[in-house]
């Protein structure tokens, strides 16, 4: 066992414990049973990787005077992690008409089964007479001639087989409407099926080794890689949806920056919660910053809305060739109206007044009903504003603003020439 192997295992330990801390903080903000189970699974997984590293395995053996004692917490930790995933699946996959009492009863039965299995594994392992080299990857076959080890491994493989297959079966018929839960269950099901490959590889190798034959020892070692892949898959199932959501929030926060600058930064700094609002904030508590940014943008839109002009809407519809989808067309119209309204606001006397006062210089009749999206549901505002932000540099927006400016200039010319004609 080389030092690079220890480095890899310790790196995995750091990653697992970091995620465990992340999930623990989420649990403290909003305590739920699933979050508690997820945080526990990552904490146990981090400890298992630390013990399973060559340095950790040797250290524990030296401390207890038994070179193979680390095998016990490693195997129990692995079983506990998969038990955690199984229980999460049981909580997330009841049918709509299943009574909660039945769900609790099922979870209690499986939890009791796992607890009894771990207790029995501990007792028989401590009674085993182990000898030979302390190789964790070949423990199953090297020690298979001991009766206690045979019972120990039989319990492990039996419970693991039942748990993984039951998790896979239940994940296939998930009915949750929550996309994050569906994502997790999809990965749980596939990962548990992969983990069952560990049972399929280990069982024949152990049986043959119990009769003194080591021909399938390599197959047993190969089976451990199925366990590792299954573990990584379940971990991604627990974190992938949250990570994807964080990345989407980070992306949307960056996408909203130009719109924020247009209707907040360039309009009224009094709309900002703090001076830090002007920064992209692409790291850390992105969700909080994104929510704050959306609120500031909506306040900015309300500020410039009295300067919204129907001329811009008409110009966009005249220039549009009918190929844009409705959502994209609405975003283009909104972007064009906001660019024009913000410019008119900045050019008006109102821009110099105290923020928060009601604007009176723009005719209300003109602004009423001009700006699209006023009836957007709260949960859809983020997606709508992101579309608007991305439409700000759209060529159709530039063309509509140019046409509206030309039309306004042409309409203003007679008002300049009429007095001269009256003197004739």
């Amino acid at each position: 066992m080389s030092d690079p192997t220890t480095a890899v295992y310790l790196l995995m330990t750091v990653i697992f414990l970091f995620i465990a801390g992340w999930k623990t903080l989420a649990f403290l903000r909003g305590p739920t049973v699933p979050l508690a189970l997820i945080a526990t699974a990552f904490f146990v997984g981090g400890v298992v990787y630390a013990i399973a590293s060559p340095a950790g395995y040797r250290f524990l053996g030296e401390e207890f005077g038994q070179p193979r004692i680390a095998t016990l917490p490693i195997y129990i930790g692995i079983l506990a992690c998969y038990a955690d995933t199984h229980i999460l699946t049981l909580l997330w996959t009841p049918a709509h008409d299943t009574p909660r009492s039945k769900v609790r009863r099922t979870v209690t039965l499986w939890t009791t089964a796992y607890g009894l299995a771990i207790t029995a594994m501990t007792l028989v392992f401590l009674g085993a007479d182990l000898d030979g080299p302390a190789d964790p990857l070949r423990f199953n076959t090297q020690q298979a001639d001991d009766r206690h080890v045979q019972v120990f491994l039989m319990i492990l493989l039996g419970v693991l087989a039942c748990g993984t297959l039951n998790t896979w079966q239940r994940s296939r018929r998930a009915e949750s409407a929550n996309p994050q839960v569906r994502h997790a269950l999809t990965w749980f099901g596939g990962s548990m099926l992969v983990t069952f490959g560990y049972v399929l590889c280990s069982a024949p190798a152990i049986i043959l080794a119990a009769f003194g034959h080591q021909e399938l020892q390599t197959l047993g070692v190969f089976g451990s890689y199925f366990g590792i892949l299954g573990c990584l898959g379940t971990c991604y199932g627990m974190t992938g949806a949250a990570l994807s959501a964080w990345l989407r929030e980070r992306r949307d926060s960056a996408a909203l920056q130009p719109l924020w600058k247009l209707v907040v930064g360039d309009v009224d700094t009094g709309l900002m919660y703090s001076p830090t609002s002007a920064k992209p904030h692409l790291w850390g508590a992105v969700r909080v910053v994104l929510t704050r940014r959306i609120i500031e943008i909506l306040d900015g839109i309300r500020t410039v809305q009295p300067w919204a002009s129907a001329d811009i809407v008409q110009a966009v519809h005249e220039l549009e060739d009918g190929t844009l989808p409705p959502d994209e067309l609405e975003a283009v119209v909104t972007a064009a109206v906001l660019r024009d309204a913000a410019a008119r606001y900045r050019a008006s006397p109102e821009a110099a007044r105290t923020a928060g006062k009601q604007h009176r210089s723009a005719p209300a009749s003109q602004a009423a009903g001009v700006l699209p999206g006023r009836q957007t549901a709260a949960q859809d505002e983020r997606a709508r504003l992101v579309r608007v932000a991305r439409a700000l540099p759209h060529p159709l927006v530039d063309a509509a603003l140019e046409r509206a400016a030309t039309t306004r200039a042409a309409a203003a010319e007679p008002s300049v020439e009429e007095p001269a004609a009256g003197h004739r």
Side-chain angles (χ1 to χ4, degrees):
M1 297 180 186
S2 59
D3 287 337
T5 305
T6 297
V8 171
Y9 274 65
L10 293 181
L11 175 62
M12 293 298 295
T13 300
V14 171
I15 293 173
F16 270 61
L17 293 180
F18 173 80
I19 298 175
W22 169 31
K23 293 299 182 180
T24 300
L25 290 176
F27 172 80
L28 293 176
R29 289 194 299 267
T32 62
V33 173
L35 275 176
L37 290 172
I38 291 172
T40 301
F42 277 103
F43 177 77
V44 172
V47 173
V48 167
Y49 269 109
I51 297 174
S53 67
Y57 199 88
R58 288 195 302 268
F59 173 79
L60 209 62
E62 292 169 0
E63 287 295 311
F64 285 88
Q66 169 54 266
R68 296 158 208 81
I69 192 64
T71 302
L72 177 61
I74 291 172
Y75 279 37
I76 288 178
I78 291 172
L79 186 59
C81 284
Y82 283 107
D84 199 305
T85 304
H86 187 192
I87 293 169
L88 265 177
T89 306
L90 295 175
L91 292 172
W92 281 340
T93 56
H96 293 302
D97 56 349
T98 303
R100 295 302 301 173
S101 58
K102 183 177 180 181
V103 176
R104 286 194 296 269
R105 198 159 52 244
T106 303
V107 170
T108 301
L109 288 173
W110 275 104
T111 304
T112 303
Y114 282 116
L116 291 173
I118 289 173
T119 302
M121 286 171 61
T122 302
L123 293 175
V124 296
F125 184 90
L126 295 178
D129 183 18
L130 306 176
D131 57 7
D135 187 344
L137 291 180
R138 290 175 169 77
F139 174 88
N140 292 357
T141 51
Q142 287 179 346
Q143 308 298 327
D145 56 342
D146 186 281
R147 294 294 182 187
H148 290 83
V149 173
Q150 291 171 10
V151 175
F152 173 81
L153 295 175
M154 181 181 67
I155 296 172
L156 172 70
L157 296 181
V159 176
L160 198 60
C162 294
T164 54
L165 292 178
N166 187 258
T167 304
W168 170 69
Q169 181 187 21
R170 294 185 70 95
S171 298
R172 294 175 61 198
R173 52 188 178 89
E175 300 177 3
S176 175
N178 187 321
Q180 293 192 3
V181 171
R182 290 200 306 272
H183 168 94
L185 291 174
T186 299
W187 278 89
F188 285 178
S191 301
M192 287 298 196
L193 198 59
V194 170
T195 303
F196 186 64
Y198 170 78
V199 178
L200 294 178
C201 291
S202 299
I206 293 169
I207 292 172
L208 203 62
F211 289 98
H213 302 282
Q214 297 290 333
E215 286 82 355
L216 295 182
Q217 188 180 78
T218 303
L219 179 63
V221 173
F222 182 73
S224 64
Y225 293 104
F226 282 102
I228 294 172
L229 290 175
C231 178
L232 293 176
T234 54
C235 289
Y236 180 74
M238 292 179 183
T239 60
L243 180 60
S244 298
W246 182 85
L247 290 173
R248 286 193 299 270
E249 289 163 1
R250 180 176 179 271
R251 177 201 64 198
D252 289 351
S253 182
L256 287 172
Q257 182 71 12
L259 181 59
W260 181 93
K261 187 175 186 303
L262 177 70
V263 299
V264 178
D266 293 344
V267 166
D268 188 351
T269 56
L271 298 170
M272 299 190 299
Y273 279 81
S274 72
T276 60
S277 295
K279 299 178 181 179
H281 288 285
L282 300 182
W283 304 100
V286 178
R287 179 170 299 178
V288 175
V289 175
L290 178 60
T291 302
R292 187 179 70 182
R293 173 151 296 177
I294 290 171
I295 294 172
E296 291 175 349
I297 288 173
L298 292 174
D299 287 342
I301 289 174
R302 280 191 289 271
T303 299
V304 301
Q305 186 171 345
W307 278 262
S309 172
D311 296 343
I312 304 298
V313 179
Q314 181 180 351
V316 172
H317 286 291
E318 288 174 353
L319 293 168
E320 202 267 326
D321 58 4
T323 60
L324 290 179
D327 285 349
E328 188 174 346
L329 177 59
E330 180 186 287
V332 169
V333 170
T334 306
V337 171
L338 287 177
R339 280 181 57 179
D340 177 69
R344 295 176 67 200
Y345 170 85
R346 289 193 298 269
S348 71
E350 288 288 318
R353 296 187 184 181
T354 305
K357 290 185 178 180
Q358 189 175 13
H359 302 298
R360 304 181 186 278
S361 61
S365 59
Q366 183 190 39
V370 170
L371 197 62
R374 291 181 301 122
Q375 303 301 321
T376 304
Q379 65 268 21
D380 299 327
E381 278 289 11
R382 172 179 157 190
R384 181 180 78 91
L385 293 178
V386 168
R387 289 195 299 270
V388 172
R390 289 175 175 160
L392 288 175
H394 197 285
L396 188 56
V397 172
D398 294 332
L401 292 175
E402 186 177 348
R403 172 172 287 198
T406 303
T407 302
R408 290 169 183 168
E413 286 178 3
S415 64
V416 176
E417 294 177 358
E418 271 183 16
H423 288 294
R424 289 179 183 173

